[in-house]
Amino acid sequence: MDPPSGLKAPVENLSPIQSSPKDRLSINFYLRCPGAALGGFFTGAALGVSHGGKMAGMRFRAEHSHIFPTTPAGWYLYHKSKNYHVMLGGIKEGLKMGSKIGFWAGSFFVVEEAVDRKRGTKDFVSTVVAGLAISGGFSAWSVLHFDPCLKD
C-alpha cells in the first residue's frame, strides 16, 4: 500500500544552481552537500584543535618533567617552546579531526541523495538508510566491537 501522495515529494531534475521548496532544507543538493562537509570540517577542526592542544601540552610537560628550568629566562624559553608544541599539536589534530568529520558529514548527504534518486522520492526512508549506512561504515572503519559490552 502506497502512502498518501502528500507524504512523498517527487525528485525533480533541476540545474545545479536552482533550488526548489521540495529540496531537503529547501537547499539544492549541490549547495547542501559541500555546506554540510564544510560545517563538519570546521566543527571537527575546532574540537580537534582544543583536544590536540591539551594533549600536546600534557605530552610536552611529561617529556620535560625530568628537569625544569631554574632561571626566569629558562622558564620563559620553556613556556615559549611549550606553546609552539601546543599550537602544532592542536593544528595537526584539528586537521585530522576536521577531515574525518567533514568526510562523514558529506558522505551522509551523498548517500541520502543517491537513495532519493534511486527510489524516486524524498522522504524519511532515505535519511534512515543513509544514517544506517554511514554509521555502519564508520563502525567498520573504526573496528568497533561488542567485546566491552559482553559480560564474562
Side-chain angles (χ1 to χ4, degrees):
M1 179 174 175
D2 289 335
S5 62
L7 295 179
K8 288 187 173 184
V11 177
E12 298 177 6
N13 292 326
L14 298 173
S15 73
I17 56 172
Q18 290 178 331
S19 291
S20 167
K22 295 179 182 176
D23 287 333
R24 294 184 185 275
L25 303 175
S26 296
I27 302 171
N28 195 353
F29 169 72
Y30 298 104
L31 298 174
R32 191 175 65 240
C33 183
L38 280 174
F41 175 80
F42 288 127
T43 302
L47 293 171
V49 165
S50 173
H51 182 258
K54 284 182 185 176
M55 296 304 291
M58 288 190 278
R59 188 179 313 111
F60 184 88
R61 173 90 182 200
E63 290 173 355
H64 294 88
S65 65
H66 62 283
I67 184 165
F68 286 114
T70 56
T71 63
W75 278 107
Y76 171 78
L77 293 173
Y78 172 83
H79 286 292
K80 182 179 176 182
S81 181
K82 181 181 174 188
N83 287 339
Y84 282 124
H85 279 84
V86 167
M87 281 193 311
L88 183 63
I91 290 170
K92 282 182 180 178
E93 186 64 26
L95 289 174
K96 278 183 11 184
M97 182 65 73
S99 298
K100 289 178 189 176
I101 301 294
F103 170 76
W104 290 112
S107 297
F108 174 82
F109 282 92
V110 168
V111 170
E112 183 182 45
E113 185 69 18
V115 172
D116 280 342
R117 290 185 185 196
K118 181 70 175 168
R119 293 182 64 232
T121 61
K122 292 185 180 193
D123 55 10
F124 75 96
V125 175
S126 302
T127 305
V128 171
V129 169
L132 290 172
I134 296 302
S135 63
F138 178 78
S139 296
W141 179 60
S142 298
V143 191
L144 298 177
H145 299 287
F146 290 110
D147 294 342
C149 301
L150 300 176
K151 293 183 179 180
D152 292 326

